[in-house]
């Protein structure tokens, strides 16, 4: 293809030179930088630059798509964890500790001990959220401020949950101690009542 284009250009140049010679005019000479080789070199440079720009645009598009995907994962994880925290705090508030007897309280304490495992799993999710947020902020994501604020809000929700969980555990322990005292007093009262009736 290049050979054919060069041949056409040479033929056109020869035809022009022939016409100029026949009309007793000086030969046409291209100025520096306008020769066919110069134009071809400039065209090759343009194509190389254009390929570089296309590659850069493609890599930037891939980076932005990756960040959007990370943002979607981040949002989904935040929503899921926030829902779990809200449900857990609501459970702590509605758990009727005051009316439970000793056996029910012991069962609640056992469940509360098992809840520690669940808390550990959800703590890992909070760490994943923080890592995603840090990754997006470091990569200059356009919504970096929103991501950082949401990550901080999730940390605040977690801290509130820890306070509610600590209070719930303390309430369980206090109620257990109270019920144990009441059961001990009932047993002593029953023993005294049996002694008097004997």
């Amino acid at each position: 293809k290049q050979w054919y284009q060069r041949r056409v250009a040479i033929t056109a140049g020869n035809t022009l030179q022939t016409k100029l010679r026949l009309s007793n005019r000086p030969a046409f000479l291209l100025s520096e930088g306008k020769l066919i080789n110069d134009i071809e070199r400039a065209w090759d440079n343009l194509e190389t630059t254009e390929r570089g720009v296309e590659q850069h645009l493609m890599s930037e598009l891939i980076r932005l798509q990756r960040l959007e995907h990370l943002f979607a994962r981040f949002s989904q994880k935040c929503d899921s964890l926030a829902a779990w925290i809200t449900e857990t705090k609501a459970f702590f508030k509605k758990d009727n500790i005051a009316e439970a007897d000793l056996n029910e309280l012991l069962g609640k304490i056992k469940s509360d001990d098992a809840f520690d495992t669940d808390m550990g799993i959800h703590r890992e999710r909070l760490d994943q959220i923080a890592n995603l947020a840090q990754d997006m902020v470091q990569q200059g994501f356009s919504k970096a401020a929103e991501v950082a604020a949401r990550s901080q809000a999730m940390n605040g929700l977690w801290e509130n949950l820890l306070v509610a969980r600590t209070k719930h555990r303390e309430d369980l322990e206090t109620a257990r101690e109270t019920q144990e005292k009441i059961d001990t007093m009932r047993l002593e009262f029953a023993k005294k009542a049996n002694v008097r009736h004997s």
Side-chain angles (χ1 to χ4, degrees):
K1 183 177 176 180
Q2 284 185 344
W3 175 84
Y4 177 74
Q5 289 173 340
R6 187 170 279 177
R7 186 69 191 147
V8 168
I10 291 171
T11 304
N14 286 342
T15 304
L16 177 65
Q17 297 297 357
T18 304
K19 287 181 182 178
L20 287 174
R21 204 174 328 122
L22 290 175
S23 53
N24 291 326
R25 297 185 73 191
F28 176 74
L29 297 174
L30 293 172
S31 60
E32 186 65 34
K34 295 182 181 175
L35 296 173
I36 292 174
N37 287 341
D38 296 334
I39 293 171
E40 285 178 351
R41 199 172 314 114
W43 189 259
D44 288 343
N45 288 341
L46 178 66
E47 286 178 340
T48 301
T49 303
E50 188 176 335
R51 273 193 303 275
V53 168
E54 286 175 0
Q55 289 172 350
H56 175 72
L57 289 175
M58 188 58 90
S59 67
E60 184 64 15
L61 180 63
I62 290 169
R63 184 185 81 83
L64 291 175
Q65 287 174 339
R66 180 181 173 276
L67 285 172
E68 285 296 332
H69 176 73
L70 285 177
F71 182 69
R73 279 184 50 212
F74 172 80
S75 296
Q76 185 271 332
K77 285 181 179 287
C78 285
D79 292 344
S80 175
L81 184 59
W84 180 81
I85 288 172
T86 302
E87 290 171 10
T88 303
K89 285 172 64 178
F91 168 76
F92 288 156
K93 284 182 181 176
K94 75 175 185 175
D95 194 13
N96 197 354
I97 296 172
E99 295 181 13
D101 64 20
L102 184 58
N103 287 333
E104 289 173 333
L105 286 170
L106 292 174
K108 287 177 185 278
I109 290 171
K110 198 170 199 175
S111 295
D112 197 61
D113 290 339
F115 180 73
D116 286 339
T117 303
D118 203 23
M119 285 280 287
I121 291 168
H122 285 86
R123 175 64 206 192
E124 289 175 11
R125 289 172 62 191
L126 183 67
D127 293 340
Q128 290 170 357
I129 287 170
N131 290 338
L132 286 172
Q134 183 179 10
D135 191 20
M136 287 184 284
V137 168
Q138 285 177 346
Q139 290 189 39
F141 184 49
S142 61
K143 299 175 184 174
E146 177 185 340
V147 167
R150 182 100 191 256
S151 181
Q152 282 301 110
M154 293 306 299
N155 284 330
L157 280 175
W158 186 262
E159 292 302 319
N160 290 340
L161 175 65
L162 292 178
V163 169
R165 192 245 186 276
T166 301
K167 182 180 180 332
H168 183 257
R169 183 59 182 227
E170 288 170 354
D171 291 347
L172 282 173
E173 291 297 335
T174 301
R176 180 186 58 82
E177 289 170 6
T178 303
Q179 283 298 326
E180 285 176 345
K181 287 177 185 175
I182 291 171
D183 279 2
T184 302
M185 289 169 48
R186 283 182 183 152
L187 188 60
E188 288 175 12
F189 181 73
K191 285 180 185 177
K192 287 180 183 178
N194 278 342
V195 171
R196 286 191 184 152
H197 288 295
S198 308

